[in-house]
Amino acid sequence: MKLGMILVLVCSSAILVACNKGSSDALAISPEKQGVDVPAFQGNWTSGKCDDWGGGGEYRYSGRQFVTIRGSSMESYVKEYNNGTCSGPERSIMRFKMKFDISSDVKDDWYNIDVVATAITQTVYDQDTANLFNTTAYCGFTDWLVNEEKNISDSNCMSGIKTNQTIYSMVKITGDTIQLGEEDKDKIHDGTTPEKRHNTPGAIFKRE
């Protein structure tokens, strides 16, 4: 699974943020993890690109990924659109609410980061999308309402992303960008255990 998408990722793939200098909401880290540049990790981040997820007609959609970090809390969210260009009104927003722990163990500027999703929600913003979701029983629900946030944690549409399950990944912080790790193409380092920690550079996010 990709931290940047959950992060999607979380992140995605998934999985980060505008600098929050001077804030008292700092990430608490244990003594053996001192040395991490915590303030540089705080704030609002965006992937800065449009992901076209394909489909046709009313099923065509795309999205932009964002991450907000405050203290040891992380929220990765995806704004979705009813086209392939991320233009026009948003059709929905999916949010991954997470906690994370970052280690000062560093290799080639990459830090280990462990992320746990605490909730996954989605909100639809127009009636056509609500009708589509209800007709297809999206995420197993047929009662989608406009502007109502629905908890879809551990539902049948979130295969591979479960709450209270740790994703073992890595992150690189360089000035105004951060890069998240993702599973390798052979899915050996899939992030499910410390020994299988992500080892492949993945999504890049820029400060907003």
Side-chain angles (χ1 to χ4, degrees):
M1 65 189 80
K2 295 183 179 181
L3 184 59
M5 278 301 297
I6 245 192
L7 280 106
V8 181
L9 165 195
V10 68
C11 244
S12 175
S13 352
I15 353 205
L16 300 157
V17 192
C19 191
N20 189 27
K21 294 181 179 179
S23 170
S24 59
D25 188 19
L27 171 62
I29 52 178
S30 54
E32 67 272 16
K33 296 178 180 179
Q34 297 297 329
V36 177
D37 188 6
V38 176
F41 199 47
Q42 304 286 301
N44 304 298
W45 306 80
T46 177
S47 63
K49 66 184 183 72
C50 177
D51 293 308
D52 183 356
W53 292 312
E58 63 181 339
Y59 295 101
R60 181 69 177 271
Y61 71 109
S62 59
R64 294 187 187 278
Q65 300 179 45
F66 303 83
V67 178
T68 294
I69 298 177
R70 295 287 184 268
S72 59
S73 295
M74 178 188 300
E75 181 174 281
S76 174
Y77 55 100
V78 180
K79 295 181 179 180
E80 297 183 347
Y81 302 83
N82 281 316
N83 52 60
T85 59
C86 296
S87 59
E90 298 165 18
R91 81 167 192 170
S92 73
I93 185 168
M94 183 180 292
R95 298 181 183 276
F96 298 84
K97 301 175 183 179
M98 297 167 281
K99 294 288 187 180
F100 71 91
D101 185 29
I102 186 170
S103 170
S104 62
D105 297 332
V106 61
K107 181 179 180 181
D108 297 328
D109 297 324
W110 287 90
Y111 294 93
N112 289 341
I113 184 171
D114 303 339
V115 179
V116 178
T118 57
I120 305 170
T121 69
Q122 189 157 6
T123 304
V124 296
Y125 292 132
D126 64 79
Q127 191 59 55
D128 287 343
T129 299
N131 292 341
L132 176 62
F133 281 11
N134 287 330
T135 299
T136 58
Y138 175 64
C139 288
F141 298 103
T142 57
D143 58 350
W144 289 90
L145 298 174
V146 175
N147 294 323
E148 180 179 281
E149 187 175 38
K150 185 176 288 293
N151 191 326
I152 59 173
S153 302
D154 304 325
S155 63
N156 60 7
C157 64
M158 299 309 302
S159 177
I161 302 174
K162 304 296 183 183
T163 57
N164 302 313
Q165 173 181 298
T166 302
I167 296 176
Y168 299 92
S169 191
M170 60 183 189
V171 62
K172 185 176 184 179
I173 307 170
T174 308
D176 289 335
T177 65
I178 57 172
Q179 186 171 15
L180 302 172
E182 64 181 29
E183 64 184 10
D184 58 312
K185 64 179 181 179
D186 296 323
K187 299 186 183 300
I188 296 175
H189 293 273
D190 60 5
T192 55
T193 68
E195 293 74 25
K196 294 183 178 181
R197 183 178 298 279
H198 293 160
N199 68 347
T200 301
I204 296 176
F205 290 78
K206 299 178 180 180
R207 293 191 188 279
E208 286 192 295

